């Protein structure tokens, strides 16, 4: 690989190191600090002139802080004359604010796309967007990777029988159907509603047979764990045998850990698109690394090769 530099924003150091280990390069030298007046400062400590630069930012709370760190880093890299500024955002901030479905509300995901682009990014690489249409909020290239294969491979290796894939709401039915095709098993749909703008969701019934079955709930993200708990409780009520859950983004805020610990859930599997600190890594939570997927995408973009080839389970089985 030629003329490539990979820089970590402050909370993304571990993820960046994993990417760099895969690429067999050292992370770029960068100094990110915060002054006493709350202003952030970034200095790139090596030349990036005419280079292919990748800035990695993992959006763990506080999210707004992460956004400023990213924007300032993009600006520093732009003013240092990088050729390409590729922003790697394994979890896209504000992705749940993706449409104007009520009067006088913002579409913050679109605003995010606009400010990242305005700051100087020439490409964004992200993963499992809450709404795939967010890709189109950018005028620059936006590559959307997926945690699907990492999660599928994990459950495939577990060799679970009598399996049913659970869709947490009507919106996730399409995705659940895809997983059910992969595992060659049925799906069941939970009726979930969210009436207000808070984090509370209500599940009322299960459509499909889960009695005595090994159920796996697939979702894009687990944030407060509200949706997950509603789903787990209803599956338990309807007689599911074992309840597994999987999500690309383990945000795990608020009471999520406590709720998971005290629930009938057998195992929750997430990837590290959002760093999961040690204190959140309870026995029931398994964290899989998605950094190799990002590293392979970076390698292929840098070498001007197809990224689409990594969108197959074969790739994950053989690497
Ligand atoms: C909802 O549409 C999403 O797919 C997730 O179910 C939701 O974002 C999870 O949030 P929480 O864990 O706070 O219920």
């Amino acid at each position: 690989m030629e003329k490539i530099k990979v820089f970590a924003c402050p909370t993304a150091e571990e993820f960046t190191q994993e990417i760099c280990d895969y690429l067999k390069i050292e992370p770029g030298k960068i100094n990110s600090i915060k002054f006493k007046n709350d202003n952030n400062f970034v200095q790139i400590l090596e030349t990036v002139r005419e280079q292919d630069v990748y800035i990695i930012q993992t959006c763990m709370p506080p999210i707004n802080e992460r956004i400023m760190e990213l924007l300032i880093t993009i600006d520093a890299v732009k003013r240092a004359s990088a050729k390409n500024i590729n922003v790697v955002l394994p979890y896209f901030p504000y992705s749940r604010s993706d449409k104007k479905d009520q009067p006088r509300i913002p579409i913050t995901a679109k605003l995010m796309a606009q400010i990242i682009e305005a700051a100087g990014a020439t490409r964004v690489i992200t993963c499992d967007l809450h709404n795939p249409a967010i890709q189109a909020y950018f005028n620059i290239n936006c590559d959307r990777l997926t945690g699907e294969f990492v999660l599928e491979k994990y459950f495939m290796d577990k060799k679970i029988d009598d399996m049913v894939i659970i869709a947490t709401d009507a919106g996730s039915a399409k995705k659940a159907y895809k997983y059910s095709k992969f595992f060659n098993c049925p799906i069941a749909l939970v009726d979930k509603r969210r009436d207000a703008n808070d984090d509370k969701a209500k599940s009322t019934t299960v459509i499909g047979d889960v009695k005595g079955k090994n159920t796996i709930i697939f979702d894009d993200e687990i944030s407060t764990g509200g949706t997950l708990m509603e789903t787990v409780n209803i599956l338990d009520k309807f007689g599911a045998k074992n309840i597994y859950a999987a999500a690309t983004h383990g945000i795990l805020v608020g009471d999520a850990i406590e709720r998971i610990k005290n629930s009938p859930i057998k195992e929750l599997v997430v990837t590290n698109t959002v760093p999961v600190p040690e204190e959140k890594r309870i026995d029931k939570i398994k964290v899989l690394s998605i950094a190799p997927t990002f590293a392979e995408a970076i390698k292929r973009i840098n070498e001007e090769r197809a990224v689409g080839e990594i969108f197959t389970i074969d790739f994950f089985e053989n690497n």
Side-chain angles (χ1 to χ4, degrees):
M1 275 180 312
E2 279 183 31
K3 290 190 167 186
I4 188 170
K5 290 270 167 82
V6 180
F7 293 95
C9 289
T11 61
E13 282 173 1
E14 216 178 297
F15 198 83
T16 304
Q17 188 60 57
E18 272 192 73
I19 287 178
C20 289
D21 288 347
Y22 186 101
L23 298 176
K24 299 188 176 59
I25 59 171
E26 287 297 318
K29 292 187 181 59
I30 180 172
N31 183 23
S32 306
I33 55 170
K34 188 177 251 308
F35 294 119
K36 286 203 178 68
N37 65 359
D38 212 34
N39 287 192
N40 290 37
F41 173 79
V42 168
Q43 185 172 20
I44 309 298
L45 300 175
E46 55 190 273
T47 184
V48 291
R49 190 169 292 278
E50 292 306 315
Q51 311 242 332
D52 194 18
V53 172
Y54 293 79
I55 302 169
I56 322 282
Q57 178 60 304
T58 46
C59 289
M60 69 188 286
I63 292 287
N64 296 339
E65 183 67 16
R66 302 290 89 84
I67 294 164
M68 274 318 285
E69 287 165 359
L70 173 67
L71 296 174
I72 291 171
T73 309
I74 297 172
D75 192 62
V77 169
K78 181 179 75 182
R79 292 175 198 284
S81 302
K83 185 171 164 201
N84 301 310
I85 306 174
N86 304 278
V87 167
V88 178
L89 276 172
Y91 177 66
F92 193 76
Y94 286 99
S95 58
R96 277 163 75 179
S97 175
D98 60 344
K99 57 187 161 308
K100 194 169 185 293
D101 54 359
Q102 297 169 59
R104 299 173 298 281
I105 62 164
I107 306 177
T108 318
K110 165 89 184 186
L111 180 64
M112 283 300 111
Q114 286 173 322
I115 56 178
I116 289 168
E117 208 172 314
T122 55
R123 174 194 302 276
V124 168
I125 308 168
T126 186
C127 182
D128 285 339
L129 290 163
H130 182 64
N131 174 359
I134 293 172
Q135 225 175 346
Y137 296 175
F138 289 94
N139 292 315
I140 53 172
N141 229 319
C142 174
D143 287 310
R144 182 174 59 97
L145 308 179
T146 178
E148 203 176 305
F149 305 112
V150 177
L151 299 173
E152 278 177 353
K153 176 151 187 350
Y154 180 78
F155 282 102
M156 195 171 79
D157 291 347
K158 263 181 123 64
K159 298 195 186 343
I160 299 170
D161 59 4
D162 223 4
M163 199 195 266
V164 177
I165 304 297
I166 309 298
T168 52
D169 56 19
S172 63
K174 204 170 152 194
K175 196 94 191 261
Y177 177 65
K178 226 172 141 191
Y179 282 113
S180 80
K181 250 178 104 179
F182 177 81
F183 290 110
N184 193 20
C185 71
I187 68 168
L189 174 69
V190 172
D191 179 32
K192 179 190 91 172
R193 285 147 207 239
R194 207 183 279 275
D195 293 328
N197 284 326
D198 56 21
D199 285 322
K200 293 191 193 82
K202 186 99 203 109
S203 296
T204 50
T205 192
V206 182
I207 304 156
D209 184 18
V210 296
K211 199 170 167 41
K213 309 279 185 194
N214 287 310
T215 53
I216 310 185
I217 305 159
F218 281 102
D219 209 342
D220 57 339
E221 64 173 64
I222 310 293
S223 181
T224 63
T227 305
L228 179 63
M229 285 313 111
E230 280 290 317
T231 313
V232 166
N233 292 338
I234 199 118
L235 290 177
D236 195 41
K237 192 167 142 195
F238 277 68
K241 185 174 157 200
N242 286 311
I243 305 169
Y244 297 91
T248 304
H249 312 297
I251 304 160
L252 304 170
V253 289
D255 299 333
I257 299 296
E258 220 34 48
R259 282 167 147 174
I260 292 161
K261 199 195 263 174
N262 301 325
S263 76
I265 196 163
K266 194 170 167 74
E267 188 177 31
L268 165 65
V269 186
V270 294
T271 78
N272 58 349
T273 53
V274 177
V276 181
E278 219 37 63
E279 67 274 14
K280 290 187 179 176
R281 293 187 182 225
I282 57 170
D283 287 352
K284 281 185 180 182
I285 297 180
K286 171 93 187 161
V287 183
L288 305 175
S289 181
I290 195 168
T293 308
F294 276 88
E296 183 63 27
I298 290 173
K299 187 166 183 261
R300 284 166 181 259
I301 290 166
N302 178 259
E303 292 172 351
E304 299 179 357
R305 287 164 58 213
V307 171
E309 284 162 14
I310 63 176
F311 283 75
T312 62
I313 191 73
D314 298 347
F315 177 81
F316 287 84
E317 281 193 288
N318 300 327
N319 288 279

